[in-house]
Amino acid sequence: MTRADRGAVRVPGHVDLVAVRRDAAAPTGETTVVRLLSLLPAHWSCTPRSVGPDRIALRIALAPAVDRQTVRRALSGALADRALEGWAEER
């Protein structure tokens, strides 16, 4: 281990999440991804990986204060919002 390695902050990875439209009457993915991102914490690094009419894939960077359970809880909370009715996490 080098001196630089000892002081470096390691980035713990990311979480890939997929949401799918379960109700044809719900808004399409293009609208929903904007709503979904607005319901997640603004300081998170979130990247839409793909957006289609019925499926959204997001990548969320993990950090020391943002672990996998925190991300999953936030996504569940966001998907429970009335603005995202008809959408659910793909498992």
Side-chain angles (χ1 to χ4, degrees):
M1 181 182 295
T2 68
R3 183 175 285 157
D5 290 337
R6 278 185 237 128
V9 175
R10 298 203 189 280
V11 177
H14 63 271
V15 176
D16 288 323
L17 301 167
V18 176
V20 293
R21 186 164 63 155
R22 302 276 189 221
D23 181 351
T28 62
E30 293 82 358
T31 299
T32 301
V33 72
V34 173
R35 291 176 179 175
L36 177 56
L37 290 171
S38 75
L39 292 169
L40 295 174
H43 65 279
W44 286 9
S45 175
C46 305
T47 306
R49 302 289 290 172
S50 66
V51 179
D54 301 318
R55 188 173 188 276
I56 298 167
L58 291 180
R59 176 165 283 178
I60 300 174
L62 297 176
V66 183
D67 62 13
R68 291 180 192 284
Q69 284 88 1
T70 301
V71 170
R72 297 251 176 239
R73 278 193 306 272
L75 180 68
S76 292
L79 289 172
D81 190 279
R82 188 162 167 76
L84 299 180
E85 226 174 284
W87 284 82
E89 183 178 2
E90 182 177 79
R91 298 223 178 217

